[in-house]
Amino acid sequence: MTIRKTFGAALLGLSVAVAQMPGAVSAEILREVNRGAASTLDVPMNRAVVVESDVPFAELSIANPGIADISSLSDRTIYVLGKSPGLTTLTLLDGAGQLITNVTVKVSADVTEFKERLRQILPDERIEVRTANDGIVLSGMVSSTQRMQRALDLAERYAPERVSNLMSVGGVQQVMLKVRFAEMQRSVSKSLSASLGLNGTMFGSNLGVSGGTGTLNTSGAVNRAFNGNIPATNENTGAVLFGFNAGSMQVGLLLEALEQKGVVRSLAEPNLTALSGQEAKFLAGGEYPVPIAQDLGQIGVEFKPFGIALNFIPRVIDNDVINLELEASVSAIDSSNGIVVNGFEIDAFTLRTTSTTVELRDGESFAIAGLIEDSFLDSAAQLPWLGDVPVLGALFRSADYQRNNTELVIIITAHLVTPTRGEALALPTDRVRPPSERDLFLFGKVADTNRPRGGAAGEVASQDFNGSYGYVMD
């Protein structure tokens, strides 16, 4: 059977007649059917086609009227309306009851409008649209998961819950996340205190008097002063002892002055690579055992992780935009704030952590967290009344001054990455080689000084690190 298009007066008249029918659809294609041939006729669902035979027929029949409905417009023209997805058979007989032809009628969902809308919304994507029974099948290559989801959402409008996704995502879908923790801690502490001790015989009796701070035990303070033992108020840093006799009176004067300054810099840079949509975890540190109470008085152990931890889920969306859902933390054991429980010494932890979701492009950086903390503490202690005496009152007073300043910033940088050849990657161990026995025992060398040649390792090893390098923080 040969099929050809014609646009004649019969089709025009049929289109006008069908357009006047309530709820009718327009005819699309005019086809011819030859005697004795068999073919397949594609009919969109809820749309109609007109088929014309090159010989007159006397009788028509359709195997499944629920799939397609037919009617004869003349002894050569057939009107076919698609009703529901599926396959059925159209049979044509002549006046003698002889078979003219059997035509397979395939009714499928109409995706013409869907293809047009898909081209308008995603013009640069190579997406192929096919029908399968009563559903839609999408295949091809898309540039990102975001665009693939847009195509699926649009297809759901035309075939709810009957969309098959055979599309694949192209482009770079692996993300390397670089996180930098930078923290500066500054501390200043100053203190000044004085203690005065008197010992002797006055008015026929023994006299022992001491003044200042930290001298609740008068005789003990005086004895320490005159025996040459300086009190450990400030761990004996900056303490000066003076003593002299005035007749039968012994006078001891202890001056303690302390100034402490400290600066702590901490920097951590965990890097981790993951596939788009997959979670990645990183921990460089350890686990600290913590005793916990259990039933029947038993003591169990629970391990708490500490160190540099990074968990994140990257999602590459439209136009190389990276959506990051991440948790990052830096923790360390702090024994100065520990506690003792049932004879067990449990240390505390210092912790810097953040949890957030951000979006950025390839190579861009984001400061996701920052902290400026400035604490100030001063205190003064004195003996009542005596500490208020001008000039001499300084011998009966002490003052402390403390100030702590902390600055913290957490910066992330995301990169779209692809695998590379192993020879292009350098390891820290590539620059250090074990020494030979001759170099070790005769010359005391703990590493081979011969640097590797060639490759990325050789390039790194050839660099001169005598000057300043790395991160410099003011």
Side-chain angles (χ1 to χ4, degrees):
M1 175 178 54
T2 61
I3 308 286
R4 63 184 176 85
K5 297 182 179 179
T6 62
F7 301 91
L11 175 60
L12 179 60
L14 178 61
S15 301
V16 174
V18 173
Q20 295 176 354
M21 298 173 59
V25 294
S26 61
E28 279 193 341
I29 305 173
L30 187 61
R31 303 173 183 265
E32 279 191 9
V33 181
N34 291 332
R35 177 185 293 268
S39 181
T40 301
L41 179 63
D42 293 327
V43 181
M45 187 173 60
N46 297 326
R47 303 186 73 172
V49 297
V50 175
V51 180
E52 184 179 71
S53 175
D54 59 351
V55 295
F57 58 85
E59 185 177 352
L60 295 174
S61 64
I62 189 77
N64 189 346
I67 296 178
D69 192 9
I70 60 173
S71 62
S72 60
L73 303 177
S74 67
D75 59 351
R76 291 176 179 267
T77 308
I78 310 168
Y79 177 81
V80 183
L81 174 65
K83 299 177 63 176
S84 63
L87 295 175
T88 187
T89 303
L90 172 64
T91 303
L92 284 72
L93 302 176
D94 58 14
Q98 299 295 322
L99 176 65
I100 298 177
T101 186
N102 284 325
V103 179
T104 301
V105 180
K106 179 182 179 182
V107 179
S108 59
D110 184 13
V111 294
T112 304
E113 182 183 0
F114 170 64
K115 289 181 179 180
E116 182 180 354
R117 295 292 180 266
L118 193 62
R119 285 193 298 268
Q120 293 174 354
I121 297 175
L122 303 173
D124 299 329
E125 301 298 332
R126 297 177 297 174
I127 301 177
E128 299 179 0
V129 181
R130 297 181 177 89
T131 58
N133 199 3
D134 60 343
I136 296 177
V137 179
L138 300 180
S139 61
M141 184 77 68
V142 292
S143 59
S144 65
T145 55
Q146 182 77 5
R147 296 197 171 191
M148 180 176 67
Q149 188 60 44
R150 292 179 184 176
L152 293 175
D153 293 341
L154 182 61
E156 285 289 334
R157 295 285 186 177
Y158 291 87
E161 300 181 357
R162 300 190 307 275
V163 179
S164 299
N165 180 20
L166 301 181
M167 295 181 292
S168 58
V169 180
V172 179
Q173 296 295 312
Q174 295 182 119
V175 179
M176 184 186 73
L177 184 65
K178 179 180 180 180
V179 181
R180 288 177 288 174
F181 295 83
E183 182 178 13
M184 289 291 297
Q185 296 180 357
R186 305 177 183 89
S187 62
V188 176
S189 176
K190 298 180 181 180
S191 64
L192 177 64
S193 63
S195 297
L196 176 66
L198 302 175
N199 188 24
T201 302
M202 183 178 292
F203 305 114
S205 61
N206 294 329
L207 175 64
V209 179
S210 64
T213 60
T215 56
L216 298 178
N217 190 335
T218 301
S219 60
V222 173
N223 291 335
R224 286 197 300 271
F226 292 122
N227 290 335
N229 297 324
I230 302 175
T233 304
N234 290 318
E235 298 181 357
N236 295 338
T237 303
V240 180
L241 175 65
F242 299 94
F244 59 91
N245 296 329
S248 61
M249 180 68 65
Q250 295 178 339
V251 180
L253 179 62
L254 176 65
L255 298 178
E256 295 178 284
L258 174 66
E259 180 178 3
Q260 291 181 340
K261 297 180 180 180
V263 176
V264 178
R265 187 197 78 170
S266 61
L267 179 66
E269 290 191 13
N271 297 341
L272 193 57
T273 303
L275 187 66
S276 176
Q278 301 298 318
E279 183 180 11
K281 297 182 179 180
F282 173 85
L283 174 63
E287 292 187 341
Y288 182 80
V290 178
I292 56 174
Q294 296 181 345
D295 297 337
L296 302 178
Q298 300 295 323
I299 301 296
V301 176
E302 181 179 354
F303 290 89
K304 299 291 186 180
F306 68 92
I308 303 171
L310 174 61
N311 301 340
F312 81 103
I313 302 177
R315 296 180 179 88
V316 181
I317 54 179
D318 197 16
N319 293 329
D320 293 336
V321 177
I322 304 172
N323 178 282
L324 289 176
E325 180 181 348
L326 63 94
E327 296 179 0
S329 65
V330 173
S331 58
I333 298 176
D334 183 11
S335 58
S336 61
N337 293 322
I339 60 175
V340 178
V341 178
N342 296 330
F344 294 98
E345 294 184 2
I346 304 176
D347 295 329
F349 291 89
T350 59
L351 180 63
R352 297 287 188 268
T353 182
T354 180
S355 176
T356 184
T357 301
V358 295
E359 285 188 356
L360 65 170
R361 297 184 182 275
D362 179 25
E364 294 182 341
S365 299
F366 220 121
I368 60 172
L371 170 66
I372 296 179
E373 181 181 0
D374 193 358
S375 61
F376 173 81
L377 173 64
D378 63 346
S379 62
Q382 65 179 26
L383 290 177
W385 304 296
L386 295 179
D388 296 330
V389 177
V391 182
L392 294 179
L395 300 177
F396 301 93
R397 284 197 305 267
S398 66
D400 292 326
Y401 166 85
Q402 294 181 358
R403 184 173 184 179
N404 297 315
N405 180 271
T406 300
E407 297 180 24
L408 170 68
V409 64
I410 302 176
I411 300 175
I412 62 169
T413 304
H415 296 280
L416 294 175
V417 296
T418 56
T420 185
R421 297 181 61 87
E423 295 81 1
L425 300 177
L427 301 176
T429 55
D430 293 340
R431 303 191 300 270
V432 179
R433 295 181 178 179
S436 63
E437 294 182 359
R438 176 175 173 272
D439 292 338
L440 177 62
F441 292 107
L442 294 182
F443 302 102
K445 296 180 179 180
V446 296
D448 189 358
T449 57
N450 294 326
R451 295 177 175 177
R453 298 179 180 178
E459 180 182 353
V460 174
S462 62
Q463 297 177 8
D464 183 11
F465 292 108
N466 294 326
S468 300
Y469 67 93
Y471 295 90
V472 178
M473 302 184 65
D474 295 330

